Amino acid sequence: MASIAVYSVKGGVGKTTLAVNLAWCAASISRRKTLLWDLDAANGSGFLLGIDPKKKRSADSMFADGSDPERLIQPTAYTGLDLLPADESIRAIDRQLDRIGKKKRLAKLTAHLGKNYDRIIFDCPPVLNELSAQIIRAANLVIVPLPPSPLSARAFDVVVDEVRGSGKGHPPILPVLNMLDLRRTLHRQAREANPTWPAIPLASAVEQCAVERRPVGAFAPRSPASRAIAQLWTAIERKLST
């Protein structure tokens, strides 16, 4: 099992859309049994997959009382892809983690879930707190989506500092130029400065994910965006194997 965090301290960078599409690639292209774990209270991953959270139990219950997280998992419309959805209760999870004082609670939950999954992908909230620290401890790889802008570059530096600050065994970081539009000077300059970074183009197909409530590979498999995301997933698998 390998766990992958899609993380940024800046909102509006396409994090959730990327997490959903990478999870779809893991299940549909690599045929990996995959769990997409939504840790953002907005439940964006569930929305993009056409899934609403169950109301019987809140998403924070697995942290609060040690309940089995598998009871919260919901299947998706895609073979091999399940969702551990978020809800409003996640907003208070940082305080809860501080209160229980277990620094590796999320890592232990991940290891438990990893008995049934080959890949676990975290859709992370744009925060810098105890939850983000626990996500980094649990991850084998951190993916950082970066729309080409000075603010995104600054946010990337913050993520790098946080990940490296977690200790010698910190996970590797893979920056991804996201929503790249080479017609724009700033975007071209960002691409020229980082030619080896994976890149996802600015594309209407990606924007349509929120309308279709499906991953782009499921409804536009031949689009440039779908091919770029698949290439990114190949790079991720290669990174995990080294």
Side-chain angles (χ1 to χ4, degrees), residues 182-200:
L182 293 177
R183 296 171 298 180
R184 302 180 183 179
T185 301
L186 189 63
H187 288 220
R188 287 198 306 273
Q189 291 173 345
R191 189 57 176 152
E192 290 165 1
N194 304 285
T196 62
W197 289 4
I200 308 297

Side-chain angles (χ1 to χ4, degrees), residues 111-168:
H112 172 75
L113 291 166
K115 296 175 182 178
N116 297 318
Y117 293 95
D118 303 310
R119 297 287 180 263
I120 296 177
I121 296 178
F122 303 116
D123 178 14
C124 307
V127 294
L128 192 65
N129 56 17
E130 176 59 25
L131 176 58
S132 63
Q134 294 222 7
I135 290 168
I136 289 167
R137 292 187 196 108
N140 298 114
L141 178 65
V142 177
I143 307 295
V144 185
L146 294 165
S149 75
L151 285 177
S152 292
R154 185 171 181 272
F156 178 61
D157 291 339
V158 172
V159 172
V160 169
D161 288 343
E162 182 186 16
V163 172
R164 290 178 176 171
S166 65
K168 289 184 178 180

